[in-house]
């Protein structure tokens, strides 16, 4: 690091013992693997030698600086923002109120939830997907990245999309009810990681809202992955996928070089991009870190879709999805190229769009740098006006060790997590461009703050929109260690809230969270318009009148129709025979907001909740004779405990 760069590090750089805390094991792991390719572009000042073991945790957490940001809601007072969170390997999503950090709802998505009946009811099984015998196709999920739909460059509250990394699925959550309404499994991929919706249509300039969702692909596999080319590295590659935002059908895929991590989209709709690592094509991690430069790959979406219209695509295996060739070798002429690869260092772990629409920022992870890519110059390259796409890089500056993800305050400042430094660094984008352009007096680093510990994802209030308001940010820390009461070997993770209204960042709060959430967005409260009572006509099987209840038999196929009206079910009892294949339909006829009913059948492994004016159904085989008291699980009335129905199964 030269003397000019040192000036940009401010006076808050952690001391050597602080740097060793938690990160020495990671650095030692690289060295222990015999790697000379670990962190690039770091000297003694920016990468101290690893010690044999992490330093001990401090005896007490430092006292937070003062802030007047209103965190603790008074009784009955509502938060001013929604936080829409992924749930990690729980397979679910979560809704938080912010800035209080109160968890409001858990949204079952790729998991099974015995409270709501997600994965138990017929309706949820249809969304999740089943095997021929009716069992769920997958019982597990791993949600990572979650993003919302746009109108005119800002959130509109209609949809939120989240990925399932394990099984390559994209889930959609409705913003009016905060429930999953669709899941699509992407073909030909494994390790589906980053996603991002477009902010306006890339083909029709009159459409200023989200029409597509773009999906990155992290693991390269032989194509087709049917066992025939397991040992042929030339057959391994990744695919970038475009999904229709409304139908949730896969529109197209693009073959690319390297592996993809996260995804970003431009505000004008023209470009989608993904930061890449393992451009080496290695199968082992040491091989994935040999190159000093990887890339951020850009997709000219309109060109891709025109190529498909022109028949310039292939298909893979049994999939009918059109696949275009987005590799470097097939896209050497910028004027016809579908993709462009901007070289960036090294194993980058994030690409984020600035609210002014001008820049994408890639964080280096194994390089202490953030790379600022000017989108107008990327467009110039595609239009044949720029001879080298690397010239789209207008800044590449050192910010600290292990930069991962970046968010924005709407005032020209970026905030990047430093995984190894356990810090957030605040830096000014324009100043970084000036510094990179030769003005070594430009002070681009504004502030640093310690977080606890090893931060990953970060997002500021409305930070993914053109309305980034710079009020506060949340940061997800992968380790909590000494921040909460110990609960055994697995500690909670730590989501921290930070005031970013002033020049100096102020740590406001720690919030323990169940492992392991990943990404999140923060949305103004008035954008979300929720629905409080369902609509009977939304379900074709709804029992619209109590008199329509009954048991309807067709041989051993039995349909049981029940309605609930607090504090009773319309069928006080119903009879079945052993061997019957039963579909039970329950409609909640109550019209009062927040008056939900549950329905549980002992020994039959059935439990679900139906909200006002909603309908759900379950299908099961009556294989145990006897009396089984079905009861309401969700408190609804003074006579809630008496609300039950007797299911009689005769031999």
């Amino acid at each position: 690091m030269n003397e000019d760069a040192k000036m940009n590090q401010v006076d808050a750089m952690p001391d050597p013992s602080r740097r060793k805390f938690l990160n020495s094991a990671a650095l030692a792991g690289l060295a222990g693997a015999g790697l000379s390719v670990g962190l690039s572009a770091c000297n003694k000042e920016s990468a101290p030698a690893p010690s044999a073991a992490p330093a001990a945790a401090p005896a007490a957490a430092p006292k937070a600086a003062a802030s007047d940001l209103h965190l603790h809601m008074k009784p009955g007072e509502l938060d001013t923002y929604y936080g829409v969170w992924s749930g990690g390997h729980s397979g679910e999503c979560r809704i938080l109120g912010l800035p209080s950090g109160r968890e409001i709802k858990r949204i079952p998505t790729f998991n099974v939830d015995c409270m709501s009946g997600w994965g138990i009811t017929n309706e949820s099984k249809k969304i999740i997907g089943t095997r021929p015998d009716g069992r769920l196709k997958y019982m597990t999920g791993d949600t990572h990245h979650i993003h919302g739909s746009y109108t005119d460059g800002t959130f509109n509250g209609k949809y939120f999309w989240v990925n399932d990394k394990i099984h390559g699925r994209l889930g959609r959550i409705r913003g009016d009810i905060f429930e999953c309404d669709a899941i699509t499994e992407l073909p030909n991929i494994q390790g589906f990681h980053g996603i991002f919706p477009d902010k306006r249509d890339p083909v029709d300039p009159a459409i200023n809202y989200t029409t597509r969702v773009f999906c990155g692909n992290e693991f390269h596999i032989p194509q087709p992955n049917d066992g025939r080319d397991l040992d042929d590295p030339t057959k391994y590659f990744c695919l970038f996928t475009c999904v229709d935002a409304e139908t949730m059908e896969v529109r197209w895929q693009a073959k690319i070089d390297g592996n993809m991590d996260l995804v970003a989209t431009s505000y004008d709709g023209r470009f989608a991009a993904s930061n890449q690592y393992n451009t080496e094509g290695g199968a082992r991690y040491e091989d994935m870190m040999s190159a000093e430069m990887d890339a951020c790959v850009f997709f000219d979406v309109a060109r891709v879709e025109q190529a498909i219209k022109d028949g310039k695509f292939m298909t893979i295996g049994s999939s009918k999805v059109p696949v275009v060739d987005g590799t470097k070798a097939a896209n050497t002429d910028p004027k016809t190229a579908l993709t462009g690869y901007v070289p960036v260092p090294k194993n980058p772990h994030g690409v984020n769009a600035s609210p002014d629409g001008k820049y994408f920022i890639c964080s280096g992870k194994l390089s202490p740098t953030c790379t600022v890519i000017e989108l107008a110059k990327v467009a110039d390259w595609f239009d044949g006006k720029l001879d080298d796409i690397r010239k789209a890089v207008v800044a590449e500056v050192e910010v600290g060790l292990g930069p991962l993800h970046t968010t924005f305050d709407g005032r020209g400042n970026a905030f990047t997590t430093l995984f190894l430094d356990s810090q957030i660094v605040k830096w000014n984008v324009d100043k970084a461009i000036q510094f990179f352009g030769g003005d070594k007096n430009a002070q681009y680093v504004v502030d640093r703050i310690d977080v606890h510990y090893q931060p990953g994802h970060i997002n500021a209030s409305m930070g993914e929109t053109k309305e980034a308001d710079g009020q506060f940010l949340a940061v997800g820390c992968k380790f909590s260690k000494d921040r909460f009461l110990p609960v055994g070997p697995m500690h909670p993770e730590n989501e921290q809230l930070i005031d970013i209204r002033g020049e100096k960042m102020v740590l406001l709060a720690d919030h323990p969270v169940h492992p392991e959430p990943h990404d999140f967005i923060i949305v103004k409260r008035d954008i979300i318009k929720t629905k409080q009572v369902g609509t009977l006509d939304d379900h074709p099987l709804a029992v619209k009148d109590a008199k329509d209840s009954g048991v309807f038999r067709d041989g051993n196929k039995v349909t049981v129709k029940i309605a609930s009206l607090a504090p009773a079910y319309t069928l006080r009892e119903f009879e079945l025979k052993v061997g019957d294949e039963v579909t039970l339909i329950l409609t909640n006829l109550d019209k009062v907001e927040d008056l939900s009913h549950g329905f549980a059948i002992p020994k039959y492994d059935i439990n679900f909740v139906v909200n006002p004016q909603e309908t759900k159904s379950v299908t099961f085989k009556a294989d145990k004779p006897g009396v089984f008291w079905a009861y309401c699980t969700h408190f609804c009335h003074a006579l809630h405990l008496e609300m039950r129905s007797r299911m009689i199964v005769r031999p």
Side-chain angles (χ1 to χ4, degrees):
M1 185 183 299
N2 60 40
E3 292 301 318
D4 292 318
K6 288 181 190 176
M7 294 174 63
N8 279 288
Q9 302 309 304
V10 194
D11 59 1
M13 291 291 284
D15 61 35
S17 63
R18 183 70 183 83
R19 279 184 172 276
K20 291 177 185 175
F21 183 58
L22 285 173
N23 74 10
S24 56
L27 292 171
L30 293 174
L35 301 177
S36 59
V37 296
L39 297 173
S40 66
C42 293
N43 61 14
K44 292 180 181 178
E45 284 82 1
S46 60
S51 61
K63 185 178 180 180
S67 170
D68 62 352
L69 193 68
H70 183 43
L71 285 180
H72 302 289
M73 303 297 115
K74 297 175 183 177
E77 187 177 6
L78 301 179
D79 280 284
T80 51
Y81 295 82
Y82 284 88
V84 187
W85 247 254
S86 70
H89 38 256
S90 70
E92 66 188 15
C93 299
R94 296 162 190 164
I95 305 299
L96 275 61
L98 291 172
S100 74
R102 298 178 295 192
E103 184 179 286
I104 300 171
K105 184 175 182 177
R106 294 192 171 192
I107 306 171
T109 309
F110 304 111
N111 58 317
V112 175
D113 181 62
C114 63
M115 186 282 289
S116 65
W118 188 258
I120 298 169
T121 64
N122 294 330
E123 293 74 21
S124 61
K125 284 183 174 181
K126 183 178 179 181
I127 293 171
I128 298 171
T130 58
R131 303 171 188 267
D133 62 2
R135 293 181 298 138
L136 291 178
K137 186 175 182 180
Y138 305 112
M139 294 287 289
T140 55
D142 185 16
T143 59
H144 277 231
H145 297 102
I146 190 162
H147 300 285
S149 54
Y150 289 82
T151 296
D152 195 24
T154 195
F155 297 132
N156 61 23
K158 184 177 182 180
Y159 294 128
F160 302 92
W161 288 273
V162 66
N163 73 306
D164 168 27
K165 182 173 178 177
I166 298 178
H167 304 302
R169 294 177 291 176
L170 179 69
R172 186 177 70 188
I173 293 166
R174 281 174 48 179
D176 61 342
I177 56 175
F178 282 121
E179 292 182 5
C180 179
D181 77 332
I183 292 175
T184 297
E185 185 172 351
L186 310 186
N188 309 316
I189 63 103
Q190 283 183 24
F192 163 32
H193 197 199
I195 68 166
F196 218 97
D198 62 13
K199 299 182 178 77
R200 63 183 306 129
D201 192 278
V203 177
D204 186 344
I207 299 175
N208 71 339
Y209 54 84
T210 294
T211 56
R212 298 158 175 81
V213 182
F214 299 104
C215 309
N217 176 197
E218 195 174 359
F219 304 153
H220 60 307
I221 56 174
Q223 302 284 5
N225 190 24
D226 57 7
R228 72 179 79 169
D229 295 309
L230 304 181
D231 301 312
D232 184 354
T234 66
K235 299 296 177 66
Y236 281 61
F237 56 85
C238 286
L239 292 165
F240 189 74
T241 303
C242 175
V243 177
D244 189 281
E246 288 294 337
T247 67
M248 290 290 284
E249 295 178 355
V250 177
R251 286 184 174 222
W252 50 263
Q253 295 182 304
K255 175 184 177 181
I256 58 98
D257 300 309
N259 298 170
M260 288 173 283
D261 188 21
L262 302 195
V263 177
T265 60
S266 61
Y267 279 83
D268 65 2
R270 180 174 182 180
F271 295 119
S274 181
N275 62 299
Q276 293 187 283
Y277 70 100
N278 195 28
T279 52
E280 305 92 328
R284 295 177 173 84
Y285 74 85
E286 56 267 33
D287 300 323
M288 300 178 188
M289 298 185 292
S290 61
E292 287 299 315
M293 300 292 281
D294 284 288
C296 182
V297 57
F298 283 80
F299 300 83
D300 189 315
V301 179
R303 286 190 189 178
V304 169
E305 297 189 356
Q306 185 60 51
I308 292 169
K309 287 181 180 179
D310 295 341
K312 298 175 182 178
F313 66 86
M314 63 179 179
T315 58
I316 296 173
S318 60
S319 170
K320 303 302 181 185
V321 172
V323 179
V324 299
D325 191 341
T327 61
K328 287 182 184 179
N331 293 274
T332 56
D333 182 356
K335 291 184 178 181
T336 59
L338 309 182
T339 58
Y341 292 76
V342 178
V344 300
K346 171 184 185 186
N347 290 63
H349 193 72
V351 57
N352 301 94
S354 61
D356 58 12
K358 294 181 179 179
Y359 308 111
F360 280 4
I361 294 175
C362 285
S363 303
K365 192 172 81 167
L366 297 187
S367 166
T369 56
C370 282
T371 301
V372 182
I373 302 170
E374 186 174 343
L375 296 184
K377 292 189 176 183
V378 173
D380 284 346
W381 182 84
F382 275 97
D383 295 339
K385 301 175 183 178
L386 189 69
D387 62 334
D388 182 358
I389 198 170
R390 170 68 185 178
K391 291 181 180 178
V393 172
V394 293
E396 196 162 85
V397 291
E398 293 192 14
V399 294
L401 289 182
L404 296 186
H405 302 285
T406 299
T407 191
F408 307 91
D409 63 4
R411 297 187 289 270
N413 298 309
F415 301 77
T416 299
T417 51
L418 303 177
F419 183 79
L420 293 179
D421 279 339
S422 286
Q423 287 187 328
I424 295 170
V425 56
K426 176 182 179 181
W427 55 284
N428 184 271
V429 177
D430 286 342
K431 293 289 186 182
I433 293 171
Q434 293 171 24
F435 181 87
F436 187 74
D439 181 1
K440 301 308 178 185
N441 293 317
Q443 300 289 314
Y444 60 86
V445 172
V446 179
D447 190 26
R448 299 177 183 274
I449 189 171
D450 287 353
V451 291
H452 309 278
Y453 305 95
Q454 298 198 305
H457 283 284
I458 189 172
N459 223 316
S461 48
M462 297 294 289
E464 289 189 347
T465 76
K466 69 178 186 181
E467 295 181 342
D469 59 23
Q471 293 297 297
F472 59 88
L473 62 77
V475 55
C477 300
K478 296 302 182 185
F479 298 97
S480 59
K481 304 297 181 187
D482 53 358
R483 305 301 286 186
F484 308 108
L485 289 173
V487 288
M490 178 173 278
H491 294 254
E493 293 192 2
N494 189 6
E495 301 279 348
Q496 296 189 293
L497 199 73
I498 294 173
D499 186 344
I500 59 171
R501 293 172 299 166
E503 184 165 298
K504 290 286 187 180
M505 294 177 281
V506 180
L507 179 60
L508 297 172
D510 293 351
H511 297 117
V513 287
H514 185 68
E516 178 194 13
H518 282 78
D519 205 5
F520 50 88
I521 59 175
I522 301 171
V523 184
K524 286 180 180 177
R525 181 179 74 192
D526 59 3
I527 291 174
I528 305 296
K529 308 298 182 185
T530 58
K531 186 177 182 179
Q532 304 303 312
V533 175
T535 304
L536 284 181
D537 289 338
D538 285 349
H539 200 296
L541 301 180
V543 182
K544 296 183 178 181
D545 193 300
K547 69 177 186 300
D548 296 329
S549 304
V551 178
F552 305 89
R553 178 177 292 277
D554 181 9
N556 70 336
K557 308 283 188 182
V558 178
T559 301
V560 180
K561 296 182 178 181
I562 304 176
S564 59
L565 277 164
Y569 297 114
T570 53
L571 292 184
R572 303 300 180 88
E573 63 183 40
F574 57 95
E575 292 195 11
L576 305 170
K577 298 177 182 178
V578 169
D580 283 347
E581 295 180 15
V582 184
T583 295
L584 187 147
I585 303 163
L586 176 64
T587 298
N588 183 346
L589 291 179
D590 281 304
K591 299 179 181 179
V592 179
E593 178 182 340
D594 199 26
L595 187 51
S596 300
H597 294 295
F599 196 84
I601 306 177
K603 309 305 179 184
Y604 273 84
D605 203 25
I606 290 171
N607 185 23
F608 61 97
V609 167
V610 182
N611 297 311
Q613 299 288 289
E614 290 183 350
T615 300
K616 292 181 182 177
S617 65
V618 293
T619 298
F620 61 97
K621 188 171 184 177
D623 55 2
K624 290 176 283 291
V627 171
F628 303 90
W629 285 99
Y631 66 97
C632 180
T633 57
H634 208 79
F635 192 90
C636 58
H637 191 275
L639 295 178
H640 165 70
L641 291 179
E642 289 76 20
M643 185 172 176
R644 63 186 75 167
S645 178
R646 190 168 55 137
M647 184 175 81
I648 300 170
V649 182
R650 298 192 180 276

